Amino acid sequence: MADTDPFYFRYYTGHSGKHGHEFLEFEYSHGRLRYANNSNYRNDSLIRKEMWIGPLVVKELKRIVETSEIVKEDDANWPKPNIVGKQELEIRVGSHHISFETAKIGSLMDVSESEDPEGLRVFYYLVQDVKCLVFSLISLNFKIKPI
Amino acid sequence: MSDDGMAIDETGGGGLRRKGRGFKSRTAGESKDSEETYDRLDTKDASEQRAARSVEGWIVMVANVHEEATEEELNDKFADFGEIKNLHLNLDRRTGYVKGYALVEYETHREAKAAIDGLNGTDILGQIVSCDFAFVRPPAGGGGKPGRRDGRKRSASPGRR
């Protein structure tokens, strides 16, 4: 049975530097969760993992996205991607489709000093919470510790 | 809302609201458009219909977990069905309380199934929890989007056993 819910989630964070394009990305679409991590520091391997998650996990991911109310935010006044790096968050849920981008956030200091601390805080915590779920799933499914 | 002229979304059916700078400048993400290069676990050992095995066991997802639940309390509940190999009870990064879900690992399908059957829909700390296998098998054909197929190297699996 194909999962026909258009719910979509993608998060990317990365930068290009002396070690090339280093990034971490995960993407959920139609029951499939993918994870890619390219770090050229000391080991230059690209890790790509994919797993098919059950409806209850999808529902939880969706709940986390919905309760964060991220779709009410707007990236218009968020720090622009820069030489240090970029983050992208694309979500399609219900009648909303957002595709936000911003600079890397080092700490909550960066959040509170930005022009839109409230919105950026929502983004910051949502990313943390989803990362936490995804890393648990990867670690339990594959027994690898994501970076 | 800013419903501009970009409403040419395949499945939109109207009313899809787009927002964000990312629509203009997207980094070519790695996970897009590469159908064959991701590692996945091939689960051909089990006779079970939907659930998929993980490297060292079977993972149960538990949802609607009380925000003040502790690992110990969950351990007590879930250990009734078999030895728990792993338990993740993740926290909400903002509040520090339990986020609302737990992941429990058992070595055997039988134990995981028993836990799901025994605890799904039951009351834990005043909340009705849902339990199910966290991982499932890829749909037949393996592709993400139905009908999509480009350059797969493996032959399509004939209706899994």
Side-chain angles (χ1 to χ4, degrees), chain A residues 53-62 133 137, chain B residues 61 103 133-134:
Chain A
I53 55 178
L56 193 57
V57 180
V58 178
K59 198 173 157 194
E60 184 65 14
L61 174 62
K62 209 168 167 179
L133 171 60
L137 291 169
Chain B
M61 175 73 175
L103 290 156
F133 285 103

Side-chain angles (χ1 to χ4, degrees), chain A residues 23 25 34 48 50 52 54 63 71 73 75 86 88 90 92 95 97 99 101 129 136 141 143, chain B residues 9 17-19 21-22 25-27 30-31 34 39-40 54-55 86 88 90 93 99 134 136:
Chain A
F23 66 91
E25 181 176 56
R34 287 182 152 186
R48 288 197 186 108
E50 73 174 20
W52 294 81
R63 183 189 71 84
V71 296
E73 303 302 334
D75 63 350
K86 181 178 188 183
E88 298 175 359
E90 182 179 356
R92 181 161 172 183
S95 63
H97 190 173
S99 181
E101 60 175 32
D129 283 335
S136 271
N141 194 214
K143 290 292 162 193
Chain B
D9 210 281
R17 288 181 284 181
R18 289 172 173 250
K19 188 164 58 179
R21 301 180 299 206
S25 68
R26 159 184 299 160
T27 305
E30 271 295 318
S31 47
S34 48
D39 295 342
R40 61 165 67 153
S54 296
V55 168
N86 248 309
H88 289 207
N90 294 337
R93 294 311 179 95
K99 188 66 196 172
V136 296

Side-chain angles (χ1 to χ4, degrees), chain B residues 11-12 23 44 145 152 154:
Chain B
T11 41
F23 285 113
K44 37 186 172 287
K145 292 164 186 169
R152 289 185 77 241
R154 305 180 331 161

Side-chain angles (χ1 to χ4, degrees), chain B residues 63-81:
Chain B
N64 200 31
V65 175
H66 194 282
E67 64 173 14
E68 293 185 70
T70 63
E71 282 195 24
E72 203 181 352
E73 285 161 335
L74 289 181
N75 246 306
D76 284 351
K77 286 278 182 189
F78 283 84
D80 287 349
F81 304 91

